[in-house]
Amino acid sequence: MTVPVLSNRAARHLFLDRHGLADRPSGPGKGADLKGVIDHLGFVQLDSVNTFARAHDLILWSRRQQYRPKALQHLLHRDRQVFEHWTHDAAVLPIESFAHWRLRFARDAVRMEERWKEWRRGDFMGKIDEVLRRISDHGQCTSGQVGEDEARGKGGWWDWHPSKTALEYLWRSGQVSVVRRDGFTKVYDLTERVISAEHLNRRHDSEETVDWCCAGALDRLGFATSGELAAFWDVVTPQEAKNWCAQALATGRIVPVDVQMVDGKLRRSFAWPGLMDMAIPAPAPRIRILSPFDPALRDRKRAERLFGFHYRIEIFVPEAKRRYGYYVFPVMEGDRLIGRVDMKRDNGVLAVRAFWPEVGVRMGAGRIKALQAELERAMAFGGCEDVRYGEGWLRDG
């Protein structure tokens, strides 16, 4: 059988379409429209770094420039249309995913209990029961409101005090849920008080959840290896994803496709039948500032293979050794990643320290104007009053 080849250009267009970056970022960015964005993406990663905007807010703004952070808080805390838990990191997910997340709850509980066996410190399970009773009897709490008399730092599991660790276990195992955030501090309550009965009482067996995870990941990636399917939600194991692909391939549910990388090499992947006959829209030819944790960039290696864009967070790199900056933002134009910008809020001003174009990207007058227009939109989103450009901000590629 001849395996079809998906060109790099078509692959980039498909990938960006599935990640909500093909259309212009218009729309109200709240309520049902915002819920639709999160449904389309599958989840949105949460992150606390706030030099300009938190990662989840920038991810949503990149797709809906009318979006404002309160809209997500309404979905999470008031309308309960999304819930907070863990994929590869903390994230908000559509509430319809909750029943499938029970597999994650069960596996996280086992992993954490196994880790505890190696530590041999105190009555871990007893502490969990104590914290659970505290929430059951007295209601919502934060990690700072449990174990007030316990030593912090080295005296606790994971370098946390014991009650905070117990609270994390209860959250990761699904027994308590995040009811809201105060600032960026999680507030917990019993899961049955947070999740509606419709979703709380729904059950799926592990085979159904593995199928849901793999199919949902393929929907959102467009094409993928079994390893990429497993990594998308970080719920199923690599072997489960490999088995799913083998069975789906044998029954004709999925088909093989060779995807051309930016260097011309072919990477064997899987896709839904009919992929090669699809009309794949070209992304809107506009500039967007993306979060370093944008879903399109989360898999750094995949982004590098498809776009030739190498990105690493330099927060933990000593300043003198940083190539770019503490927290720089990738910049996309159409279907290309054209550079990265170092910017932050500074006393009501959006301070742009530097923009580094990618090799081969020519910063002509039109492209500079388009970049500055996006920076002005970012200024408004970040609640700033002006944009200030540092001396020599436009660097050589």
Side-chain angles (χ1 to χ4, degrees):
M1 180 182 73
T2 300
V3 175
V5 174
L6 186 68
S7 72
N8 180 251
R9 184 171 182 269
R12 284 185 281 122
H13 289 183
L14 176 61
F15 186 70
L16 294 176
D17 178 64
R18 297 302 171 88
H19 285 77
L21 292 171
D23 296 331
R24 294 189 177 275
S26 58
K30 60 183 178 181
D33 177 65
L34 183 62
K35 173 62 162 47
V37 173
I38 299 172
D39 288 347
H40 183 80
L41 295 174
F43 64 89
V44 173
Q45 182 173 335
L46 299 167
D47 191 74
S48 61
V49 177
N50 196 18
T51 59
F52 164 64
R54 299 197 193 278
H56 43 285
D57 291 324
L58 188 53
I59 289 167
L60 295 170
W61 176 77
S62 296
R63 292 155 175 83
R64 294 290 189 274
Q65 289 201 337
Q66 293 185 51
Y67 165 81
R68 293 299 181 265
K70 283 186 178 179
L72 179 60
Q73 302 310 311
H74 288 331
L75 282 187
L76 181 63
H77 306 152
R78 184 189 68 189
D79 304 331
R80 303 284 184 226
Q81 292 297 299
V82 295
F83 72 102
E84 182 175 335
H85 210 262
W86 205 262
T87 54
H88 56 284
D89 213 318
V92 290
L93 301 106
I95 192 63
E96 293 80 7
S97 307
F98 183 84
H100 287 294
W101 236 246
R102 291 191 175 280
L103 181 60
R104 178 68 187 247
F105 299 156
R107 290 180 173 180
D108 276 3
V110 170
R111 280 193 289 264
M112 296 170 82
E113 289 163 14
E114 286 299 316
R115 286 179 65 182
W116 167 243
K117 289 178 181 179
E118 299 173 1
W119 295 327
R120 308 285 184 187
R121 304 177 198 160
D123 183 10
F124 178 63
M125 300 311 292
K127 182 59 68 175
I128 289 168
D129 291 341
E130 177 186 319
V131 173
L132 189 60
R133 284 195 304 272
R134 188 259 188 234
I135 298 173
S136 179
D137 295 344
H138 302 289
Q140 302 172 8
C141 73
T142 67
S143 61
Q145 294 170 328
V146 294
E148 294 94 335
D149 58 342
E150 295 170 358
R152 267 56 173 171
K154 295 181 180 179
W157 305 289
W158 298 309
D159 247 6
W160 295 346
H161 62 85
S163 291
K164 174 170 177 152
T165 306
L167 189 57
E168 181 76 6
Y169 172 90
L170 289 167
W171 176 55
R172 295 287 291 270
S173 62
Q175 298 176 68
V176 303
S177 292
V178 176
V179 65
R180 69 176 187 279
R181 279 185 182 256
D182 289 342
F184 206 69
T185 300
K186 294 194 289 283
V187 180
Y188 303 89
D189 203 347
L190 298 181
T191 291
E192 57 262 35
R193 295 173 182 165
V194 179
I195 305 299
S196 68
E198 174 189 0
H199 302 289
L200 183 69
N201 296 330
R202 186 171 295 157
R203 295 292 188 277
H204 299 283
D205 62 32
S206 59
E207 185 175 331
E208 290 174 317
T209 292
V210 168
D211 181 73
W212 178 89
C213 285
C214 291
L218 190 55
D219 283 341
R220 292 168 175 87
L221 292 172
F223 52 86
T225 65
S226 64
E228 289 167 340
L229 294 180
F232 183 83
W233 308 101
D234 197 24
V235 172
V236 305
T237 67
Q239 187 60 53
E240 285 171 331
K242 188 174 182 179
N243 293 345
W244 182 88
C245 287
Q247 183 178 6
L249 191 62
T251 59
R253 187 179 176 191
I254 62 174
V255 295
V257 60
D258 283 336
V259 181
Q260 184 184 45
M261 301 295 105
V262 72
D263 62 2
K265 294 179 180 178
L266 299 180
R267 182 173 172 83
R268 179 62 54 86
S269 300
F270 301 106
W272 298 119
L275 171 67
M276 303 304 296
D277 299 324
M278 287 177 52
I280 304 171
R286 62 164 294 147
I287 285 181
R288 304 176 198 246
I289 297 170
L290 303 180
S291 164
F293 299 105
D294 195 278
L297 301 172
R298 181 190 68 78
D299 186 336
R300 307 284 191 219
K301 292 181 179 179
R302 183 179 173 101
E304 191 165 354
R305 286 192 295 264
L306 278 177
F307 298 96
F309 186 75
H310 177 85
Y311 184 90
R312 296 294 181 270
I313 292 283
E314 295 186 297
I315 288 176
F316 303 110
V317 177
E319 185 172 0
K321 296 183 178 181
R322 289 175 189 151
R323 182 177 179 187
Y324 298 109
Y326 175 81
Y327 193 81
V328 300
F329 299 86
V331 177
M332 175 172 281
E333 182 184 40
D335 66 356
R336 298 176 65 192
L337 284 152
I338 63 168
R340 61 204 83 201
V341 62
D342 184 355
M343 65 183 193
K344 67 176 182 177
R345 290 191 318 275
D346 184 11
N347 294 321
V349 171
L350 179 62
V352 179
R353 176 176 173 268
F355 173 78
W356 293 270
E358 287 291 278
V359 174
V361 172
R362 181 177 175 274
M363 294 303 294
R367 185 169 278 150
I368 293 172
K369 184 177 179 180
L371 173 60
Q372 290 177 322
E374 180 71 351
L375 287 166
E376 288 177 5
R377 289 187 285 265
M379 172 199 75
F381 173 64
C384 300
E385 298 178 356
D386 198 5
V387 182
R388 182 179 68 233
Y389 295 94
E391 184 178 353
W393 69 278
L394 190 58
R395 307 295 175 86
D396 295 330

